[in-house]
Amino acid sequence: MTKVLHVLLTGGVGSRLWPLSRQSRPKQYLDIFKGNSLFELSVMRNSNYAGELIVVGNSENQHLSVEALDKLKLEDYKSIEEATPRNTAPAIAFAAFAAQAEDILLVTPADHIIEDGEEYKKAIRSAVQLAAENFLVTFGVHPTKPETGYGYIEFTGDNVLSFREKPDKETADTFLKTGNFLWNSGMFCFKAGIYLEELKKYSPEVYQRSLQAWEKAENGKLELETSLQIPAISVDYAVMEKSDKIKVVKADFEWSDMGSFEAVYDYLKEQGQPVDQNGNMQIGSKKHTSFAGLQNCILVETEDANLVLAKEASQDVKQIYQELEQTNSALII
Amino acid sequence: MTKVLHVLLTGGVGSRLWPLSRQSRPKQYLDIFKGNSLFELSVMRNSNYAGELIVVGNSENQHLSVEALDKLKLEDYKSIEEATPRNTAPAIAFAAFAAQAEDILLVTPADHIIEDGEEYKKAIRSAVQLAAENFLVTFGVHPTKPETGYGYIEFTGDNVLSFREKPDKETADTFLKTGNFLWNSGMFCFKAGIYLEELKKYSPEVYQRSLQAWEKAENGKLELETSLQIPAISVDYAVMEKSDKIKVVKADFEWSDMGSFEAVYDYLKEQGQPVDQNGNMQIGSKKHTSFAGLQNCILVETEDANLVLAKEASQDVKQIYQELEQTNSALII
């Protein structure tokens, strides 16, 4: 019987969701989705398909993960605590080291929203089957608009032709028209042993440094000194774009990386959150809010900071965050 | 020696300044101008030029006026309490009835902002002198932009050629170019007796009904039944646009009716309130507020309601207020 482990990657701050998202409470821990956080939803969704859970996150988030798992009354999980963020390739390597070579890892981010249903079930089943056949599987989501904030996968059948970084608007339009491009969902499925083999083959330094750090880890807790030696590289870059064992599972579930207020807006609107006749929405506030002379505007209200933004300027929030960061503002903590 | 009385008209809600301005605290009582309200500033400014004060307001505002006058440690004033709003012609008639015929009334709204200085002093002196010569004096403010929200006075020397209602943009542009138009400031100066004579002559019903109501008043408190018989008409319409005893004093002080958030924005900006590089401003909030993708946008934050508006849409706030009024919303109370 195949053993499937859910590897939950829970790094990241989500600076584009400031002021909701803070260093002390990154977006995946915000209870803004029907009373649950994206972290919780991700754990619950994948518990249907995986027998075990490995949470890989950084030490600052550790207590938030524990809190969320307590809330879900989950006690039986493994925790890998990174000393410093090294991106996804090393994070997944640690999980692979903690597993058996034949274990199938279902790797997911903790901060995406996914419609849990038949389509998701079907996609996971296909992926697990391909993983059992020693393939490295990536999940490609059927794109519904020419989004420039996502990576794309060029495919034919279940084969990957190429990975494409965030395209410009024109290129994204072409991707949608040709019909053989999928959104790169950031979810993966493969055997722990196969992943490590391919990592060793295509990114030997990442493999070696990750292994050295792992050997120094105590109870899944990484040590800073050895961790700092690991190149910080994504799994796409380190393995997926290089290996010849890649397959893609075309997924038809609704999916969003909740990477900006535009995505949050779209999701909340679909969930029935009110917008006015000009498409304006408030988020986070329990107060009445009126808008005048504005279209598709979002007011984000928190206890110590407000953000007023044009929906289409959602990507600019990262810059606001960085400016506050540069002045050591307490508003991002 | 001429006796000058300051007649302070303090009706009105200021619905265009919602949610700052409420039925229970109209704009003239808001402490947003360096810790003082427009009502207080108006009392203080004119106390330099008038020996006595008559406050004419409606019964709902009475306690707010008393509160403001207490704050200024002013005890020696007359109070006229209207049972129902009848616009300015009757309000001024009540003050005139309460005064002696030879008393000069300096009539001002309670909700305008005016630069108190040499120019103001000069204008008041000229007006009092003309009033002493039995003229009805209106104050015309030198216009600094083609404002469509104000009334205009066409003048030559100190004579009024015509009063013009709020013009459209094109007409306002022409007014500014020709140079013989002034903003109608809503301030007046005349002898009580002359005003009543002219009111009797040009709007006899307003005069009669106001007198009947005044005769029923007790301690300056008007009675509802007789008050409801008085036509609700402005002093401009009832007297100023008809009398041949009108003079205009051209005033060069800075002036704003604070009739919209655009005016409040301009005033606060001039007073040093910060705006971001795109001209966005927050009002009422002590929180940090960031704006993204928006220009000349205003966030007004209060305890129970927010307003997000494009500065140029400031006039639309009245409509928001009216919609809330129609649904009996507690947010306007």
Side-chain angles (χ1 to χ4, degrees), chain B residues 213-286:
Chain B
W214 183 248
E215 282 168 348
K216 287 267 192 179
E218 282 181 23
N219 288 325
K221 194 168 173 172
L222 276 296
E223 186 210 62
L224 183 60
E225 204 185 332
T226 46
S227 295
L228 285 169
Q229 304 296 319
I230 311 170
I233 288 177
S234 74
V235 60
D236 289 291
Y237 187 77
V239 177
M240 305 305 282
E241 296 181 12
K242 290 166 179 161
S243 169
D244 51 13
K245 295 184 175 172
I246 307 300
K247 291 282 178 191
V248 61
V249 166
K250 197 181 157 205
D252 265 330
F253 48 78
E254 275 186 55
W255 170 87
S256 162
D257 74 346
M258 289 286 154
S260 70
F261 276 115
E262 184 163 16
V264 174
Y265 174 105
D266 288 343
Y267 171 77
L268 291 176
K269 189 174 169 187
E270 207 185 278
Q271 295 294 312
Q273 170 132 339
V275 295
D276 73 9
Q277 71 273 26
N278 294 311
N280 301 298
M281 180 190 281
Q282 61 166 322
I283 297 176
S285 170
K286 288 181 176 60

Side-chain angles (χ1 to χ4, degrees), chain A residues 46-82:
Chain A
N46 293 295
S47 66
N48 299 321
Y49 311 109
E52 285 179 31
L53 170 64
I54 303 179
V55 178
V56 189
N58 63 48
S59 49
E60 284 97 39
N61 291 359
Q62 182 67 11
H63 70 286
L64 295 168
S65 297
V66 169
E67 200 179 280
L69 293 162
D70 279 354
K71 183 177 159 193
L72 298 175
K73 303 196 191 311
L74 223 96
E75 286 169 3
D76 190 23
Y77 60 91
K78 270 191 194 137
S79 179
I80 295 173
E81 200 178 323
E82 294 179 285

